[in-house]
């Protein structure tokens, strides 16, 4: 179940519960009075099958649940004897702000999700327009090209084109020109470059000369690719300042406070474990996550990630990986309690941090690894496919039959993933006596049936259509398609290089710098804690005659949090910080790709926690030798 499906289900359930408490008529009247029409439009655009009153019910339930959670934290602090004045103030502030934030987040989520979909749907434009151009180069029929794009793409833009084709069939428009004009106006969210490319493609149908038509179609594709690259370059230009704020204020300042908090006990500012937990493991991570999410909301998608079939899609709730992760994490935590103290230069709290990190890493890595392997295989095949089409096109332009062309291409690209598909196609044609379409696309034995790349499958389908032409024409068409795919790959590589200049430093910060600084400041905090505690004990042992010369003695007290508790709190904060920063880095580099994010967390988190623990241990040894 996706998050959107869970949101809809929770909205319906909360509406049923609140209808019994407050009355269905009252809830509906309040929703009709205060909720704007934008909410209904957003629900329609996102495809969420729910009403405004259900959104209101879910927002109210989220606020009530948040308030109960804060009250439970207050009761826990009272039961453990940690409810002092500062903790009470923090709980009161949280009780006033947290439910309001929960209400706003749940109530405004459909609008934010619609805006997110509009921004990220820009990544649909290069793929869908490339399908239209590919079809138009072979057959200058606009209706057929749009149907080809709608049939071979699963993007939102392709679904909009499919809706347009349906409207044409039911005579909602008098002509294709009228339909395209209305479609261009309605799809302004996809960008001005998309609107321009649509009209250029349509104008190419009036070109009688094939060379001029090809020039027009190439121009339409150039407009889309240049527009996509310009959008990404504009985003990168505005990313420097927000990234600097994220790094300096939301990362460095909390880490610097780690070393300062024990020293605050000198002036009587004593923070207990509950206060530090709320600050470092709730407030700071939540503020960092919200700011990073606000930056990523403005990121235009360049090229959408490949869709995987159902049996390869991410399943985070699979029982086996979750059970293994929990057992491994619990075993590491138990090991910290079983080992004799002083045997290793690590505390029990370090083992708890390792256990939490191990559980998260194992779960993320094991659930996302099949998706990652499938994605890498698709990327490798798409990188090899354009070059292999040149070989196939040249062979078929010589008048060779398709099976010989496939066999020759398989020999030329032997050892690659795409070469195996060509070999299977040649075998199916020559040995199984299958037609060309069945040999490559039959769901049971087709050579490209298990190739989960929409781009490759669409190109192969176009190749089958060109096989009815003469060998020379079919070969020339295949070469045109190969040129087309090569141009798309060059633009994709250029955008990735553009993004890498920004993400490389962020990756180092996420994996090395932030955990290292956290470890050093934590060790410094431990040294300051020991000095403050020793000084406080010495001052309190002063004779009465000397106390007038030390007026700070009543306020000079030892920190209220032990080093072990502080290590656990900061360790959990480092884990949350690494996850948030990794989401930010992957969001810039790959967009909304949950599989890549979980795979990155599974690989990055163990390294970051190891850097944190080692830097803490080494720095503690150095600081203890200096005291």
């Amino acid at each position: 179940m996706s998050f959107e499906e869970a949101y809809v289900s929770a909205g319906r359930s909360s509406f049923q519960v609140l209808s019994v408490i407050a009355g269905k008529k009252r809830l509906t009247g309040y929703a009709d009075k205060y909720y704007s029409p934008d909410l209904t439009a957003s629900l329609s655009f996102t495809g969420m099958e729910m009403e405004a009153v259900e959104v209101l019910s879910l927002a109210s339930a989220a606020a009530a649940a948040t308030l109960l959670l804060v009250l439970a934290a207050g009761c826990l602090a009272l039961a453990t004897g940690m409810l002092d004045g500062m903790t009470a103030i923090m709980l009161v502030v949280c009780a006033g702000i947290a439910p309001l934030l929960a209400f706003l987040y749940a109530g405004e989520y459909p609008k934010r999700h619609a805006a997110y979909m509009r921004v990220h749907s820009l990544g649909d434009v290069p793929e869908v327009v490339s399908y239209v151009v590919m079809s138009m180069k072979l057959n200058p029929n606009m209706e057929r090209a749009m149907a080809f794009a709608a049939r071979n793409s699963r993007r939102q833009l392709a679904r909009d084109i499919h809706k347009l084709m349906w409207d044409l069939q039911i005579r909602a428009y008098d002509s294709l020109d009228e339909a395209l004009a209305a479609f261009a106006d309605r799809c302004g969210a996809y960008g001005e470059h998309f609107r321009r490319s649509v009209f250029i493609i349509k104008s190419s149908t009036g070109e009688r000369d094939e060379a001029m038509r090809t020039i027009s179609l190439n121009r339409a594709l150039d407009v889309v690719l240049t527009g996509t690259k310009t959008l990404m370059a504009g985003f990168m230009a505005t990313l420097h300042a927000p990234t600097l704020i994220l790094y300096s204020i939301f990362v460095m300042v909390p880490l610097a406070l780690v070393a300062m908090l024990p020293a605050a006990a000198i002036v009587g500012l004593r923070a207990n474990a509950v206060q530090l937990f709320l600050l470092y493991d709730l407030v700071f991570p939540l503020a960092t996550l919200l700011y990073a999410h606000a930056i990523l909301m403005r990121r235009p998608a360049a090229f959408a990630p490949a869709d995987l079939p159902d049996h390869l899609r991410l399943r985070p709730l699979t029982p086996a990986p979750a059970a293994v992760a929990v057992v491994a994490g619990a075993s590491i935590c138990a090991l910290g309690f079983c080992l004799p103290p002083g045997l290793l230069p690590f505390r029990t709290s370090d083992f708890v941090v390792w256990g939490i990190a191990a559980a998260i890493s194992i779960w993320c890595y094991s659930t996302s690894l099949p998706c990652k392997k499938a994605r890498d295989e698709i990327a490798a095949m798409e990188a090899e496919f354009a070059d292999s089409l040149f070989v196939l096109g040249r062979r078929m332009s010589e008048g060779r039959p398709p099976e010989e062309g496939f066999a020759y291409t398989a020999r030329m690209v032997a050892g690659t993933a795409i070469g195996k598909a060509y070999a299977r196609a040649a075998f199916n044609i020559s040995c199984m006596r299958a037609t060309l379409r069945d040999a490559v696309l039959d769901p049971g034995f087709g050579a490209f049936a298990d190739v989960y790349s929409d781009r490759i499958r669409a190109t192969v389908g176009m190749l089958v259509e060109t096989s009815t032409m003469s060998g020379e024409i079919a070969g020339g068409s295949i070469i045109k398609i190969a040129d087309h795919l090569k141009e798309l790959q060059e633009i994709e590589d250029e955008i990735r290089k553009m993004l890498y200049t920004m993400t490389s430093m962020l990756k180092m910060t996420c994996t090395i710098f932030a955990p290292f600084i956290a470890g050093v400041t934590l060790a410094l905090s431990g040294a300051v804690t020991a000095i403050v505690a020793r000084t406080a004990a010495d001052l309190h042992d002063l004779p009465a005659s000397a106390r007038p010369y030390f007026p700070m003695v009543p306020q000079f007290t030892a920190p209220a949090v032990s080093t072990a508790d502080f290590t656990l709190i900061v360790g959990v904060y480092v884990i949350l910080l690494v996850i948030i920063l990794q989401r930010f880095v992957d969001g810039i580099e790959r967009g909304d790709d949950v599989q890549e994010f979980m795979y990155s967390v599974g690989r990055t988190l163990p390294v970051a926690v190891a850097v944190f623990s080692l830097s803490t241990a080494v720095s503690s040894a150095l600081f203890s030798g200096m005291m």
Side-chain angles (χ1 to χ4, degrees):
M1 178 183 294
S2 64
F3 181 80
E4 289 73 25
E5 293 173 345
Y7 183 90
V8 173
S9 177
R12 293 172 179 172
S13 301
S14 59
F15 175 64
Q16 293 175 358
V17 174
L18 291 181
S19 296
V20 178
I21 299 174
K24 181 178 180 180
K25 187 175 181 180
R26 179 180 298 178
L27 285 175
T28 304
Y30 185 88
D32 295 339
K33 182 178 181 180
Y34 290 101
Y35 269 62
S36 63
D38 293 341
L39 178 63
T40 304
S42 298
L43 291 172
S44 176
F45 180 80
T46 57
M48 294 182 179
E49 297 180 357
M50 59 189 310
E51 300 177 359
V53 65
E54 295 173 338
V55 176
L56 170 64
S57 302
L58 180 57
S60 303
T66 305
L67 180 60
L68 292 176
L69 184 62
V70 175
L71 293 177
C75 294
L76 180 62
L78 180 63
T80 56
M82 295 184 180
L83 187 62
D84 55 8
M86 182 60 69
T87 304
I89 293 174
M90 293 179 65
L91 288 173
V92 170
V93 172
C94 290
I97 296 178
L100 178 61
L101 293 178
F103 182 88
L104 293 176
Y105 181 85
E108 296 294 317
Y109 175 77
K111 296 181 182 178
R112 292 195 310 275
H113 187 55
Y116 179 82
M117 286 182 62
R118 290 187 182 98
V119 172
H120 284 69
S121 62
L122 294 173
D124 303 344
V125 174
E127 175 186 303
V128 175
V129 172
S130 68
Y131 288 160
V132 175
V133 170
M134 185 189 305
S135 178
M136 289 287 292
K137 284 183 177 181
L138 302 182
N139 190 340
N141 186 303
M142 192 68 181
E143 293 89 343
R144 183 174 181 177
M146 296 178 69
F148 175 77
R151 185 172 62 250
N152 288 281
S153 177
R154 290 172 282 183
R155 308 297 179 191
Q156 177 63 41
L157 178 55
R159 289 192 286 269
D160 293 341
I161 292 177
H162 190 273
K163 174 66 166 53
L164 175 67
M165 301 302 296
W166 173 254
D167 290 341
L168 278 172
Q169 292 181 1
I170 63 174
R171 303 299 181 184
Y173 300 102
D174 294 334
S175 64
L176 178 62
D177 292 340
E178 180 185 349
L180 287 176
F183 179 71
D185 292 336
R186 189 170 65 249
C187 295
Y190 293 108
E192 183 62 28
H193 58 285
F194 172 68
R195 184 200 302 265
R196 290 172 56 198
S197 68
V198 169
F199 288 120
I200 293 174
I201 293 172
K202 180 62 179 70
S203 66
S204 69
T205 58
E207 297 289 349
R208 296 181 178 274
D209 183 56
E210 182 179 356
M212 293 303 298
R213 184 173 68 250
T214 302
I215 292 174
S216 297
L217 293 173
N218 288 336
R219 174 60 180 165
L221 187 60
D222 288 339
V223 167
V224 167
L225 296 178
T226 304
T228 301
K229 189 167 64 172
T230 302
L231 287 174
M232 188 59 66
F235 171 73
M236 295 297 297
T238 61
L239 192 61
H240 179 73
T243 303
L244 184 62
I245 294 173
L246 178 68
Y247 177 73
S248 58
I249 297 179
F250 291 92
V251 176
M252 294 305 301
V253 171
L255 293 178
L257 288 176
V258 172
M260 296 174 60
L261 286 174
I266 296 176
V267 294
L269 297 177
R270 305 179 73 228
N272 57 35
V274 174
Q275 295 168 357
L276 290 180
F277 172 79
L278 292 175
L279 188 64
Y280 273 92
D281 296 338
L282 183 62
V283 176
F284 286 160
L286 183 59
T288 307
L289 178 63
L290 292 177
Y291 186 74
H293 180 69
I295 298 174
L296 293 177
M297 281 289 292
R298 301 194 300 268
R299 180 198 186 276
F303 291 89
D307 283 334
L308 296 176
D310 292 338
H311 69 280
L312 289 177
R313 287 186 178 178
L314 184 67
R315 289 181 172 83
L317 300 180
T318 305
V324 172
V326 171
V327 171
S331 301
I332 295 175
C333 294
L335 184 62
F337 291 95
C338 297
L339 289 177
L343 181 63
L344 295 174
F346 300 106
R347 304 179 182 90
T348 303
S349 55
D350 292 313
F351 285 89
V352 176
V353 172
W354 297 344
I356 296 173
I360 296 174
S361 299
I362 292 173
W363 176 66
C364 290
Y365 187 81
S366 58
T367 53
S368 62
L369 185 59
C371 303
K372 173 64 176 177
K373 289 182 177 179
R375 285 277 180 82
D376 289 345
E377 185 176 353
I378 290 173
M381 295 184 74
E382 288 182 346
E384 301 159 355
F385 186 61
D387 294 331
S388 67
L389 278 183
F390 278 111
V391 179
L392 179 63
R394 293 298 300 172
R395 197 65 173 175
M396 293 187 66
S397 63
E398 297 173 358
R400 306 289 183 176
E403 62 271 19
E404 184 176 340
F406 280 113
Y408 179 78
T409 306
R411 291 195 300 271
M412 292 297 101
V413 295
T416 63
I418 198 67
K420 298 177 182 178
Y422 282 115
R424 285 177 55 190
F427 175 83
N428 291 342
I429 296 174
S430 60
C431 298
M432 299 183 64
R433 302 300 180 186
T435 63
L436 179 59
R437 178 176 295 277
D438 292 340
V440 295
L441 294 177
D442 186 271
F445 60 88
F448 292 87
D450 55 354
V451 175
Y452 307 116
S453 169
D454 291 340
R455 183 179 299 177
I456 293 178
R457 291 174 63 87
T459 306
V460 170
M462 185 65 66
L463 185 151
V464 172
E465 293 184 13
T466 62
S467 63
T468 57
M469 308 176 185
S470 65
E472 183 177 355
I473 297 176
S477 301
I478 295 172
I479 292 175
K480 289 181 182 179
I481 295 173
D483 289 332
H484 178 85
L485 295 179
K486 202 67 177 177
E487 186 175 0
L488 283 177
Q489 290 177 359
E490 290 174 356
I491 294 295
E492 288 181 353
D493 293 340
E494 188 174 348
I495 290 178
R496 289 193 183 98
K497 291 177 182 178
M498 184 192 309
L499 295 174
Y500 181 77
T501 58
M502 177 64 70
T503 58
S504 57
M505 182 55 68
L506 292 174
K507 288 179 181 179
M508 291 298 296
T509 300
C510 171
T511 309
I512 304 297
F513 294 154
F516 177 77
I517 295 173
V520 173
T521 53
L522 181 61
L524 181 60
S525 171
V528 173
T529 299
I531 294 174
V532 170
R534 186 168 61 249
T535 306
D538 293 341
L539 289 177
H540 283 287
D541 292 338
L542 287 174
S545 59
R547 288 183 180 272
Y549 300 99
F550 296 92
M552 78 291 293
V553 171
Q555 291 84 21
F556 206 109
T557 56
V561 183
S562 65
T563 303
D565 292 341
F566 203 21
T567 301
L568 178 59
I569 292 171
V570 176
V572 172
Y573 171 69
V574 168
I575 292 174
L576 296 175
L577 185 63
V578 169
I579 293 174
I580 294 170
L581 291 180
Q582 189 63 56
R583 173 69 186 95
F584 182 68
V585 171
D586 281 355
I588 292 176
E589 194 169 21
R590 300 184 178 92
D592 189 21
D593 195 341
V594 180
Q595 291 91 338
E596 288 286 350
F597 162 64
M598 293 186 64
Y599 181 78
S600 299
V601 169
R603 294 186 60 189
T604 303
L605 191 57
V607 178
V609 172
V611 171
F612 167 71
S613 298
L614 291 175
S615 62
T616 303
V618 174
S619 301
S620 298
L622 293 176
F623 291 143
S624 63
M626 297 169 59
M627 290 189 299

